[in-house]
Amino acid sequence: LCEHVFAPFADLATPAAIDAIIGVLQAKEGVAGEEGGGIDAQMEMDVDEDEDMEEDEDMEELGGDVDEELRRKIHEALGSAVEVEGEEEVFDDEQMTVFDDKLAEIFAQKKQQKTVERDLRISFVNFKLRVLDLADVFWSRVPESPLVLRLLHALIDLSRATRRDARSKPIHDRAMSLLTARRAKVPVAIESVEGLQLLAHVHDCARRAADKAELRALSAASALVTRSLLDVGGVEAKVEAQYAATVSDFMTRQASQIHADFFRVASSKLRPAQLPLLWRVAAKAVREFAHPRQALNVFRQVQAYALAEVVANSAPLLVAEVDAKEAQSLAADLLKALRDALLDTMVLAASAENQVAATEAAPAKLILDKTKLREIIEITMSVARRCLRHDVLAAQDALPNKEDAQWMAALNALAASDNFKSPIITRLCTTLASISSKPNNANKRKPEPKEEDDEDL
């Protein structure tokens, strides 16, 4: 019903109308609850549990200190029927009967009040759900409206405000569904100041995300706002600085909840011409945090390499739309940053510094172990292969090779180390050094074998 009624007028919605929707979404329980009294309940409430809680509360009131309001009502009900001797109230049988009746009436009123409050709460939740339906209709019908950014901000705040409230779970789930819905179009002609403020808010929320689901929703929101801002133009440097600050926060702050996957949606949703921004951010992250001891710990160091891999997945789009010279420069910058960081990492791995001293509580252990080093090398190989599939991005000079004395020295040191005597690691390093020596077509998919070759299988 909501869609049929509101959809024809969605494109006529004014800022005041959107602000009215946002006002309801921001309202706290008890403010807008009465407005939804005529709407059928969609949220199933455990009534028996509520009643049990009410009875427990009533018993607590009987067994605990009687509040002044309850005492006042009892005295008003009994009037002069109460005789006070010392500090105790003494009743005869008739007065006790009156007292019991009045006490039952008072508790019945309190229970009725709680029932009304529960009904208002249900109505409040359902009214917000109906308003969320309006927001969904508007966003779906007019996805290019600048007013969408106002809704997006309100939906993010609503999802965060209701994430720990079991009574508001339907509202939280509905808001999250709107944030994660697939949308092909983004707002256009937005105010750059408003967009930058929203982008900063999204990234700040992502740093404190409660779980992966919330981080995915915020990742989609970040991609949408970024694409809208870059379409406006003139703010690319500020957007890039915001992404770089978010990466830095994750790499250096223990409590940061950002992950390399946070940037995956942006790398797939941005227009091809907007991708250089992410390539520069990734190269900067590798230069600043992929070297040993630059990130908070080894896990965060590996995430700097993982970010490069996420961005490298967009290589086909980069080649298709971006100027060839710019694309080659971006690829060479990223590959050279990876090469330098990997070389330093291999040198540290084979050195005596790659060890945490033993304590009474724990034995000595490696800072960078065999598993993490293998992961770093595999990611570097993946990025190199993705770039070398395209002639435009074939920056072999930026990769390690067998003629590189530093690279071969680091490789030999690893092979001689007792901690890294692994044929797998040696083979990976040798393969990586051989990639740049092969012609570009060697990295492309080989043709299927001919039928006469089947006899040899």
Side-chain angles (χ1 to χ4, degrees):
L1 179 61
C2 174
E3 181 174 0
H4 291 299
V5 173
F6 184 63
F9 309 100
D11 57 341
L12 301 177
T14 63
I18 299 304
D19 288 342
I21 291 176
I22 294 174
V24 175
L25 298 181
Q26 293 176 338
K28 297 185 181 298
E29 187 173 330
V31 176
E34 296 181 0
E35 299 181 24
I39 301 174
D40 294 336
Q42 283 191 353
M43 182 181 68
E44 295 183 2
M45 301 289 293
D46 191 345
V47 179
D48 292 338
E49 181 178 350
D50 285 351
E51 291 179 351
D52 291 342
M53 292 175 63
E54 291 168 4
E55 292 176 1
D56 292 342
E57 291 173 0
D58 292 344
M59 291 303 295
E60 290 176 2
E61 290 177 357
L62 284 172
D65 295 334
V66 180
D67 59 42
E68 292 300 322
E69 179 66 17
L70 183 59
R71 182 183 295 275
R72 184 185 61 78
K73 287 183 178 180
I74 293 174
H75 277 280
E76 288 179 356
L78 297 179
S80 60
V82 179
E83 295 181 1
V84 180
E85 293 184 2
E87 295 182 355
E88 296 184 358
E89 299 173 348
V90 181
F91 303 93
D92 56 24
D93 292 343
E94 183 178 354
Q95 292 170 339
M96 182 61 73
T97 302
V98 174
F99 177 81
D100 289 342
D101 292 343
K102 292 299 181 181
L103 192 61
E105 180 182 347
I106 291 170
F107 280 115
Q109 291 175 354
K110 290 179 70 68
K111 188 170 184 178
Q112 177 63 26
Q113 181 182 357
K114 291 179 181 179
T115 302
V116 171
E117 290 175 353
R118 186 187 65 221
D119 292 342
L120 286 176
R121 187 166 63 243
I122 296 174
S123 297
F124 175 77
V125 169
N126 282 287
F127 183 59
K128 275 199 174 183
L129 290 174
R130 296 287 74 77
V131 174
L132 283 170
D133 289 341
L134 291 179
D136 189 16
V137 171
F138 175 77
W139 196 346
S140 300
R141 293 282 179 168
V142 199
E144 296 180 328
S145 170
L147 297 175
V148 166
L149 292 190
R150 298 190 190 183
L151 278 180
L152 181 60
H153 195 299
L155 288 171
I156 291 173
D157 291 345
L158 179 64
S159 66
R160 290 175 59 80
T162 56
R163 64 189 179 188
R164 291 189 176 90
D165 187 358
R167 298 176 302 179
S168 300
K169 188 176 185 303
I171 298 175
H172 173 78
D173 293 345
R174 187 72 177 100
M176 289 291 288
S177 70
L178 265 64
L179 290 172
T180 56
R182 293 179 177 271
R183 305 184 190 276
K185 298 180 179 181
V186 299
V188 297
I190 65 172
E191 292 289 337
S192 58
V193 175
E194 180 185 5
L196 289 170
Q197 290 176 347
L198 178 55
L199 182 64
H201 180 65
V202 171
H203 281 229
D204 182 62
C205 291
R207 297 172 189 178
R208 298 177 283 111
D211 50 39
K212 291 182 179 180
E214 183 177 347
L215 190 62
R216 283 194 297 270
L218 292 169
S219 175
S222 174
L224 181 145
V225 178
T226 299
R227 182 170 165 178
S228 295
L229 280 168
L230 295 180
D231 284 345
V232 172
V235 294
E236 185 173 359
K238 294 181 179 179
V239 174
E240 185 175 335
Q242 178 62 62
Y243 272 84
T246 300
V247 172
S248 177
D249 178 80
F250 171 61
M251 294 296 172
T252 59
R253 189 169 65 89
Q254 181 71 42
S256 180
Q257 300 302 310
I258 296 292
H259 193 273
D261 282 342
F262 175 75
F263 305 93
R264 191 178 301 278
V265 177
S267 67
S268 62
K269 294 297 183 183
L270 292 185
R271 303 185 196 279
Q274 299 170 346
L275 289 173
L277 181 147
L278 291 181
W279 282 71
R280 291 192 295 270
V281 169
K284 179 179 174 64
V286 172
R287 284 193 298 270
E288 295 184 356
F289 303 109
H291 291 259
R293 302 189 185 90
Q294 289 182 322
L296 181 68
N297 50 43
V298 174
F299 171 76
R300 302 291 173 92
Q301 179 187 357
V302 174
Q303 286 299 303
Y305 290 88
L307 175 57
E309 185 178 28
V310 167
V311 172
N313 289 334
S314 65
L317 294 175
L318 186 75
V319 171
E321 297 290 338
V322 179
D323 177 73
K325 190 173 182 179
E326 181 184 4
Q328 187 175 38
S329 175
L330 291 169
D333 190 29
L334 180 60
L335 291 174
K336 185 178 185 304
L338 285 169
R339 173 198 176 280
D340 293 343
L342 179 58
L343 181 60
D344 284 353
T345 301
M346 292 172 61
V347 170
L348 172 73
S351 70
E353 298 178 11
N354 183 27
Q355 188 168 348
V356 177
T359 63
E360 295 182 359
K365 65 178 182 179
L366 296 176
I367 299 174
L368 178 66
D369 59 23
K370 192 183 303 183
T371 302
K372 292 298 183 184
L373 180 60
R374 176 180 174 180
E375 186 177 356
I376 288 173
I377 298 173
E378 287 176 341
I379 292 175
T380 305
M381 287 181 59
S382 174
V383 175
R385 282 174 171 159
R386 290 180 186 281
C387 291
L388 294 178
R389 284 198 189 110
H390 309 279
D391 293 339
V392 175
L393 305 183
Q396 282 97 338
D397 294 341
L399 289 170
N401 56 71
K402 294 181 179 179
E403 286 73 34
D404 189 331
Q406 286 183 311
W407 175 262
M408 296 309 297
L411 182 57
N412 292 333
L414 273 181
S417 171
D418 293 335
N419 297 319
F420 293 94
K421 283 184 177 180
S422 168
I424 296 179
I425 291 180
T426 303
R427 184 171 65 252
L428 288 173
C429 292
T430 304
T431 303
L432 181 59
S434 302
I435 289 178
S436 61
S437 304
K438 298 179 181 179
N440 295 341
N441 56 13
N443 295 295
K444 297 179 181 179
R445 186 186 297 274
K446 296 181 179 180
E448 296 294 331
K450 298 180 181 180
E451 295 183 1
E452 56 264 30
D453 295 336
D454 293 343
E455 297 177 357
D456 298 330
L457 299 179

Coordinates of all heavy atoms in Angstrom, one line a residue, residues 192-248:
S192 N 29.2 19.5 -2.1 CA 30.4 18.8 -1.7 C 30.7 18.9 -0.2 O 31.2 17.9 0.3 CB 31.6 19.5 -2.5 OG 31.7 20.9 -2.2
V193 N 30.3 20.0 0.4 CA 30.6 20.1 1.9 C 29.7 19.0 2.6 O 30.3 18.3 3.5 CB 30.2 21.5 2.4 CG1 30.3 21.5 3.9 CG2 31.1 22.5 1.8
E194 N 28.5 18.9 2.3 CA 27.6 17.9 2.9 C 28.1 16.5 2.6 O 28.1 15.6 3.5 CB 26.2 18.0 2.4 CG 25.2 17.0 2.9 CD 23.8 17.1 2.3 OE1 23.6 17.9 1.4 OE2 22.9 16.4 2.8
G195 N 28.6 16.3 1.4 CA 29.1 14.9 1.0 C 30.3 14.6 1.8 O 30.5 13.4 2.2
L196 N 31.3 15.5 1.9 CA 32.5 15.3 2.7 C 32.2 15.0 4.1 O 32.9 14.1 4.8 CB 33.5 16.4 2.5 CG 34.1 16.6 1.1 CD1 34.8 17.9 1.0 CD2 35.1 15.4 0.8
Q197 N 31.3 15.7 4.7 CA 30.9 15.5 6.1 C 30.3 14.1 6.3 O 30.6 13.4 7.3 CB 29.9 16.6 6.6 CG 30.6 18.0 6.7 CD 29.5 19.0 7.0 OE1 28.3 18.8 7.0 NE2 30.0 20.2 7.4
L198 N 29.5 13.7 5.3 CA 28.9 12.4 5.4 C 29.9 11.3 5.3 O 29.9 10.3 6.0 CB 27.8 12.2 4.4 CG 27.1 10.9 4.3 CD1 26.5 10.5 5.7 CD2 26.0 10.9 3.3
L199 N 30.8 11.5 4.3 CA 31.9 10.5 4.1 C 32.7 10.3 5.4 O 33.1 9.2 5.8 CB 32.8 10.9 2.9 CG 33.9 9.9 2.6 CD1 33.3 8.6 2.1 CD2 34.8 10.5 1.5
A200 N 33.1 11.5 6.0 CA 33.8 11.4 7.3 C 33.0 10.7 8.4 O 33.6 9.9 9.1 CB 34.2 12.8 7.7
H201 N 31.7 10.9 8.4 CA 30.9 10.2 9.4 C 30.8 8.7 9.1 O 30.9 7.9 10.1 CB 29.5 10.8 9.3 CG 28.5 10.2 10.3 ND1 28.6 10.3 11.7 CD2 27.4 9.5 10.1 CE1 27.7 9.7 12.3 NE2 26.9 9.1 11.3
V202 N 30.7 8.4 7.9 CA 30.6 6.9 7.5 C 31.9 6.2 7.9 O 31.9 5.2 8.5 CB 30.4 6.8 6.0 CG1 30.6 5.3 5.6 CG2 29.0 7.2 5.6
H203 N 33.1 6.8 7.6 CA 34.4 6.2 8.0 C 34.6 6.2 9.5 O 35.2 5.2 10.0 CB 35.5 7.0 7.3 CG 35.6 6.6 5.8 ND1 36.8 6.3 5.2 CD2 34.7 6.5 4.8 CE1 36.7 6.0 4.0 NE2 35.4 6.2 3.7
D204 N 34.1 7.2 10.2 CA 34.2 7.2 11.6 C 33.4 6.1 12.2 O 33.9 5.4 13.2 CB 33.8 8.6 12.2 CG 33.9 8.6 13.7 OD1 35.1 8.5 14.2 OD2 32.9 8.8 14.4
C205 N 32.2 5.9 11.7 CA 31.4 4.8 12.2 C 32.0 3.4 11.9 O 31.9 2.5 12.7 CB 30.0 4.8 11.6 SG 29.0 6.2 12.1
A206 N 32.6 3.3 10.7 CA 33.3 2.1 10.3 C 34.4 1.7 11.2 O 34.7 0.5 11.5 CB 33.8 2.2 8.9
R207 N 35.1 2.7 11.7 CA 36.2 2.4 12.6 C 35.7 1.8 13.9 O 36.5 1.2 14.6 CB 37.0 3.7 12.9 CG 37.7 4.3 11.7 CD 38.2 5.7 12.0 NE 38.7 6.4 10.8 CZ 39.2 7.6 10.8 NH1 39.3 8.3 11.9 NH2 39.6 8.2 9.7
R208 N 34.5 2.1 14.2 CA 33.9 1.6 15.5 C 32.7 0.6 15.2 O 31.9 0.4 16.0 CB 33.4 2.7 16.3 CG 34.4 3.7 16.7 CD 33.9 4.9 17.5 NE 33.3 5.9 16.6 CZ 32.0 6.1 16.6 NH1 31.2 5.5 17.4 NH2 31.5 7.0 15.8
A209 N 32.8 -0.1 14.1 CA 31.7 -1.0 13.7 C 31.6 -2.2 14.7 O 32.6 -2.7 15.2 CB 32.0 -1.6 12.3
A210 N 30.4 -2.6 14.9 CA 30.1 -3.6 15.9 C 30.4 -5.0 15.4 O 30.8 -5.9 16.1 CB 28.7 -3.5 16.4
D211 N 30.2 -5.2 14.1 CA 30.4 -6.5 13.5 C 30.6 -6.4 12.0 O 30.6 -5.3 11.4 CB 29.2 -7.4 13.8 CG 27.9 -6.7 13.4 OD1 27.8 -6.1 12.4 OD2 26.9 -6.9 14.1
K212 N 30.8 -7.5 11.3 CA 31.1 -7.5 9.9 C 29.9 -7.1 9.1 O 30.1 -6.4 8.1 CB 31.5 -8.9 9.5 CG 32.9 -9.4 10.0 CD 33.2 -10.8 9.5 CE 34.6 -11.2 10.0 NZ 34.9 -12.6 9.5
A213 N 28.7 -7.4 9.5 CA 27.5 -6.9 8.8 C 27.4 -5.4 8.8 O 27.1 -4.8 7.7 CB 26.3 -7.5 9.4
E214 N 27.7 -4.8 9.9 CA 27.7 -3.3 9.9 C 28.8 -2.7 9.1 O 28.6 -1.7 8.4 CB 27.8 -2.8 11.4 CG 27.7 -1.3 11.5 CD 27.8 -0.8 12.9 OE1 27.7 -1.7 13.9 OE2 27.9 0.4 13.1
L215 N 30.0 -3.4 9.1 CA 31.1 -2.9 8.3 C 30.8 -3.0 6.8 O 31.1 -2.1 6.0 CB 32.3 -3.7 8.6 CG 33.6 -3.1 8.1 CD1 33.9 -1.7 8.6 CD2 34.8 -4.0 8.4
R216 N 30.1 -4.1 6.4 CA 29.7 -4.2 5.0 C 28.7 -3.1 4.6 O 28.8 -2.5 3.5 CB 29.1 -5.6 4.7 CG 30.1 -6.7 4.6 CD 29.5 -7.9 4.0 NE 28.4 -8.5 4.9 CZ 28.6 -9.3 5.8 NH1 29.8 -9.8 6.1 NH2 27.5 -9.8 6.6
A217 N 27.8 -2.8 5.4 CA 26.8 -1.8 5.1 C 27.5 -0.4 5.0 O 27.2 0.4 4.1 CB 25.7 -1.7 6.2
L218 N 28.4 -0.1 5.9 CA 29.1 1.1 5.9 C 30.1 1.2 4.7 O 30.3 2.3 4.1 CB 29.9 1.3 7.2 CG 29.0 1.5 8.4 CD1 29.9 1.4 9.7 CD2 28.3 2.9 8.4
S219 N 30.6 0.1 4.3 CA 31.4 0.0 3.1 C 30.6 0.4 1.8 O 31.1 1.2 1.0 CB 32.0 -1.4 2.9 OG 32.7 -1.5 1.7
A220 N 29.4 -0.1 1.7 CA 28.5 0.2 0.6 C 28.2 1.7 0.7 O 28.2 2.4 -0.4 CB 27.2 -0.6 0.7
A221 N 27.9 2.3 1.9 CA 27.6 3.7 2.0 C 28.8 4.5 1.6 O 28.7 5.6 0.9 CB 27.2 4.0 3.4
S222 N 30.0 4.1 2.0 CA 31.2 4.9 1.6 C 31.4 4.9 0.1 O 31.7 5.9 -0.4 CB 32.4 4.2 2.3 OG 33.6 4.8 1.9
A223 N 31.2 3.8 -0.5 CA 31.3 3.7 -2.0 C 30.3 4.7 -2.7 O 30.7 5.4 -3.6 CB 31.2 2.3 -2.5
L224 N 29.1 4.7 -2.2 CA 28.1 5.5 -2.8 C 28.4 7.0 -2.7 O 28.3 7.7 -3.6 CB 26.7 5.2 -2.1 CG 25.5 6.0 -2.7 CD1 24.3 5.1 -2.6 CD2 25.2 7.2 -1.8
V225 N 28.8 7.4 -1.4 CA 29.1 8.8 -1.2 C 30.4 9.2 -2.0 O 30.4 10.3 -2.6 CB 29.3 9.1 0.3 CG1 29.7 10.5 0.5 CG2 28.0 8.7 1.1
T226 N 31.4 8.3 -2.0 CA 32.6 8.6 -2.7 C 32.3 8.8 -4.2 O 32.8 9.8 -4.8 CB 33.6 7.5 -2.6 OG1 33.9 7.3 -1.2 CG2 34.9 7.8 -3.3
R227 N 31.5 7.9 -4.8 CA 31.2 8.1 -6.2 C 30.5 9.4 -6.5 O 30.8 10.1 -7.5 CB 30.4 6.9 -6.7 CG 30.1 6.9 -8.1 CD 29.5 5.5 -8.5 NE 28.8 5.6 -9.8 CZ 28.3 4.6 -10.5 NH1 28.3 3.4 -9.9 NH2 27.7 4.7 -11.6
S228 N 29.6 9.7 -5.6 CA 28.8 11.0 -5.8 C 29.7 12.2 -5.7 O 29.6 13.1 -6.5 CB 27.7 11.1 -4.8 OG 26.7 10.1 -5.0
L229 N 30.6 12.2 -4.8 CA 31.6 13.3 -4.6 C 32.5 13.4 -5.8 O 32.7 14.5 -6.3 CB 32.4 13.1 -3.3 CG 31.7 13.5 -2.0 CD1 32.5 12.9 -0.8 CD2 31.5 15.0 -1.9
L230 N 33.0 12.3 -6.3 CA 34.0 12.4 -7.4 C 33.3 12.8 -8.7 O 33.9 13.4 -9.6 CB 34.7 11.0 -7.6 CG 35.6 10.6 -6.4 CD1 36.2 9.3 -6.7 CD2 36.7 11.7 -6.1
D231 N 32.0 12.5 -8.8 CA 31.2 13.0 -9.9 C 31.1 14.5 -9.9 O 31.1 15.1 -11.0 CB 29.8 12.3 -9.9 CG 29.8 10.9 -10.4 OD1 30.8 10.5 -11.0 OD2 28.8 10.2 -10.2
V232 N 31.0 15.1 -8.7 CA 30.9 16.5 -8.6 C 32.2 17.2 -9.0 O 32.2 18.2 -9.8 CB 30.5 16.9 -7.2 CG1 30.6 18.4 -7.0 CG2 29.1 16.4 -6.8
G233 N 33.3 16.6 -8.6 CA 34.6 17.1 -9.0 C 35.1 18.1 -8.0 O 34.4 18.7 -7.3
G234 N 36.4 18.4 -8.1 CA 37.0 19.4 -7.2 C 37.3 19.0 -5.8 O 37.8 19.8 -5.0
V235 N 37.0 17.7 -5.4 CA 37.2 17.3 -4.0 C 38.0 16.0 -4.0 O 38.1 15.4 -2.9 CB 35.8 17.1 -3.3 CG1 35.1 18.4 -3.2 CG2 35.0 16.1 -4.1
E236 N 38.6 15.6 -5.1 CA 39.3 14.3 -5.1 C 40.4 14.3 -4.0 O 40.6 13.2 -3.4 CB 39.9 14.1 -6.5 CG 40.6 12.7 -6.6 CD 41.0 12.4 -8.1 OE1 40.8 13.3 -8.9 OE2 41.6 11.3 -8.3
A237 N 41.2 15.4 -3.9 CA 42.3 15.4 -2.9 C 41.7 15.2 -1.5 O 42.3 14.4 -0.7 CB 43.0 16.7 -3.0
K238 N 40.6 15.8 -1.1 CA 40.0 15.6 0.2 C 39.4 14.2 0.4 O 39.6 13.7 1.5 CB 38.9 16.7 0.4 CG 39.4 18.1 0.4 CD 38.3 19.1 0.6 CE 38.8 20.5 0.7 NZ 37.7 21.5 0.9
V239 N 38.8 13.6 -0.6 CA 38.3 12.3 -0.5 C 39.5 11.3 -0.3 O 39.5 10.4 0.5 CB 37.5 11.9 -1.8 CG1 37.1 10.4 -1.7 CG2 36.3 12.8 -1.9
E240 N 40.6 11.5 -1.1 CA 41.8 10.6 -1.0 C 42.4 10.8 0.4 O 42.8 9.8 1.0 CB 42.8 11.0 -2.0 CG 44.0 10.1 -2.1 CD 44.9 10.4 -3.2 OE1 44.5 11.0 -4.2 OE2 46.2 10.1 -3.1
A241 N 42.4 12.0 1.0 CA 42.9 12.2 2.3 C 42.1 11.5 3.4 O 42.6 10.9 4.3 CB 43.0 13.7 2.6
Q242 N 40.8 11.4 3.2 CA 39.9 10.7 4.1 C 40.1 9.2 4.1 O 40.2 8.6 5.1 CB 38.4 11.0 3.7 CG 37.4 10.3 4.6 CD 37.5 10.7 6.0 OE1 37.3 11.9 6.4 NE2 37.8 9.8 6.9
Y243 N 40.3 8.7 2.9 CA 40.6 7.2 2.8 C 42.0 6.9 3.4 O 42.1 5.9 4.1 CB 40.6 6.8 1.3 CG 39.2 6.4 0.8 CD1 38.3 7.3 0.4 CD2 38.8 5.0 0.8 CE1 37.0 6.9 0.0 CE2 37.6 4.6 0.4 CZ 36.7 5.6 0.0 OH 35.4 5.2 -0.4
A244 N 43.0 7.8 3.1 CA 44.3 7.6 3.7 C 44.3 7.6 5.2 O 44.9 6.8 5.9 CB 45.3 8.6 3.1
A245 N 43.5 8.5 5.8 CA 43.4 8.6 7.2 C 42.7 7.4 7.8 O 43.1 6.9 8.9 CB 42.5 9.9 7.6
T246 N 41.7 6.9 7.1 CA 41.0 5.6 7.6 C 42.0 4.5 7.6 O 42.0 3.7 8.5 CB 39.8 5.3 6.7 OG1 38.9 6.4 6.8 CG2 39.1 4.1 7.2
V247 N 42.8 4.3 6.5 CA 43.8 3.3 6.5 C 44.8 3.4 7.6 O 45.2 2.5 8.3 CB 44.5 3.3 5.1 CG1 45.7 2.3 5.1 CG2 43.6 2.9 4.0
S248 N 45.3 4.7 7.8 CA 46.2 4.9 8.9 C 45.7 4.6 10.2 O 46.4 4.0 11.1 CB 46.7 6.4 8.8 OG 47.6 6.7 9.9

